[in-house]
């Protein structure tokens, strides 16, 4: 069923002249370090390739400090660094400070997560010289809804199905090739091998509209990630 959905979506994309289609492969490592009872340091690093792994697309590193606001609401503040590959003279380095709010609740056996994030994105075009004209800036809002459905649990392992959607909106756009509106449909599985290690395999169907309203970009993404939770000895 998953393969059939992928093929139907890909063929539909190819049949429309107003769309650009592509694929990417993401590999990501997430670390959560519990430094105090109420504070967690979140960090992740990733590499992204495109065109069936034939070329580099991006690399990224990101870190943030998570803190409680209420019993049901958590916040995080941090910064990310992205390197966007184009060619030697047009590669782009992005600095991305951000803030986010997270909350979750349970409906029957399903865990439902909500994430609201605001990002400030500063771009610098790489080359022999970086002028003021090559530095560009925009702001972006993101909202993600994720449903986690457990399907099998043992004493040491847990398997779940993840279904979600994330919406992006850039409300101050300067960089011409940055999406104004984008949407991700997320479908995949997670495998928790022990208390602090979780593997994830996600299909990410990403659609975006850029400055030309008659042109949209479609990208099919395979996203593999590892999440590692580390707790300070004081709080074990």
């Amino acid at each position: 069923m998953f393969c059939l959905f992928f093929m139907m979506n890909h063929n539909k994309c190819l049949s429309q002249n107003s769309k650009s289609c592509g694929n990417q492969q993401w590999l990501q490592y997430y670390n959560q370090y519990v430094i105090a009872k109420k504070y967690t340091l979140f960090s992740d690093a990733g590499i992204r390739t495109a065109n069936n792994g034939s070329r580099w697309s991006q690399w990224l590193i990101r870190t943030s400090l998570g803190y409680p606001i209420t019993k049901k609401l958590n916040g995080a503040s941090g910064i990310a660094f992205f390197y966007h590959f184009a060619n030697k003279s047009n590669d782009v380095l992005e600095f991305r400070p951000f803030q986010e709010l997270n909350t979750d609740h349970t409906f029957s056996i399903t865990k439902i997560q909500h994430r609201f994030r605001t990002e400030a994105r500063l771009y610098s075009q790489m080359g022999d010289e970086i002028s003021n004209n090559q530095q560009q800036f925009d702001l972006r809002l993101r909202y993600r809804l994720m449903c986690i459905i457990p399907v099998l649990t043992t004493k040491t392992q847990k398997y779940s199905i993840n279904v979600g959607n994330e919406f992006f909106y850039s409300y101050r756009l300067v960089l011409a090739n940055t999406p104004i509106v984008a949407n991700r449909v997320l479908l995949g599985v997670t495998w928790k091998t022990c208390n602090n290690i979780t593997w994830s395999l996600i299909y990410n169907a990403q659609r975006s509209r850029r400055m030309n309203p008659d042109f949209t970009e479609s990208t099919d993404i395979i996203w593999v990630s590892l999440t590692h939770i580390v707790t300070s000895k004081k709080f074990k």
Side-chain angles (χ1 to χ4, degrees):
M1 183 176 179
F2 174 79
C3 294
L4 180 61
F5 169 79
F6 179 87
M7 292 174 63
M8 290 176 64
N9 186 66
H10 185 65
N11 291 336
K12 181 181 178 181
C13 178
L14 292 176
S15 66
Q16 298 184 28
N17 295 328
S18 60
K19 287 191 176 183
S20 170
C21 301
N23 64 77
Q24 292 190 12
Q25 301 75 39
W26 295 1
L27 182 63
Q28 206 142 342
Y29 169 75
Y30 295 90
N31 181 272
Q32 300 177 21
Y33 183 67
V34 182
I35 56 178
K37 289 183 177 179
K38 295 184 177 182
Y39 298 95
T40 301
L41 184 65
F42 297 93
S43 301
D44 67 283
I47 55 175
R48 299 174 178 180
T49 62
N51 298 336
N52 300 315
S54 63
R55 68 174 183 85
W56 294 107
S57 175
Q58 296 172 334
W59 63 255
L60 68 101
I61 55 174
R62 177 169 39 209
T63 188
S64 65
L65 179 65
Y67 47 86
I69 299 174
T70 67
K71 290 183 178 180
K72 292 289 186 179
L73 185 65
N74 295 303
S77 301
I79 188 169
F81 301 89
F82 282 71
Y83 192 95
H84 303 263
F85 290 88
N87 54 57
K88 291 184 178 180
S89 61
N90 292 321
D91 289 357
V92 174
L93 181 63
E94 176 188 347
F95 298 89
R96 187 188 297 183
F98 65 91
Q99 289 186 313
E100 67 181 41
L101 297 173
N102 295 277
T103 186
D104 61 71
H105 62 277
T106 302
F107 179 76
S108 184
I109 63 171
T110 302
K111 184 177 182 180
I112 302 174
Q113 298 176 333
H114 304 269
R115 186 182 74 184
F116 304 85
R117 179 182 287 180
T118 302
E119 300 171 329
R121 309 175 71 193
L122 176 65
Y123 305 88
S124 294
Q125 185 171 316
M126 307 302 292
D128 295 333
E129 296 181 359
I130 299 178
S131 66
N132 290 331
N133 292 332
Q134 293 173 304
Q135 293 183 343
Q136 303 182 64
F137 175 78
D138 72 76
L139 299 174
R140 187 168 71 174
L141 296 176
R142 300 171 61 169
Y143 167 67
R144 188 187 70 184
L145 171 67
M146 180 68 76
C147 298
I148 303 173
I149 308 167
V151 293
L152 179 62
T153 302
T154 67
K155 292 182 179 180
T156 58
Q157 301 182 24
K158 183 177 181 179
Y159 299 87
S160 301
I161 294 175
N162 290 12
V163 181
N165 191 85
E166 185 167 19
F167 176 76
F168 302 74
Y169 177 65
S170 297
Y171 58 92
R172 181 185 176 191
L173 183 69
V174 177
L175 194 65
N177 65 352
T178 300
I180 301 173
V181 177
N183 192 77
R184 289 177 180 170
V185 177
L186 306 168
L187 175 64
V189 294
T190 57
W191 173 32
K192 189 173 184 179
T193 58
C194 57
N195 288 334
N196 61 343
I197 297 290
T198 302
W199 291 91
S200 177
L201 174 62
I202 300 290
Y203 168 63
N204 176 352
Q206 184 168 287
R207 307 294 178 259
S208 58
R209 180 171 62 84
R210 299 181 183 269
M211 294 192 70
N212 182 352
D214 297 323
F215 182 84
T216 58
E217 185 176 67
S218 173
T219 308
D220 295 308
I221 299 165
I222 298 298
W223 187 356
V224 179
S225 66
L226 168 65
T227 300
H228 182 205
I229 301 175
V230 180
T231 303
S232 174
K233 292 182 179 180
K234 294 182 179 179
F235 306 102
K236 287 186 176 180

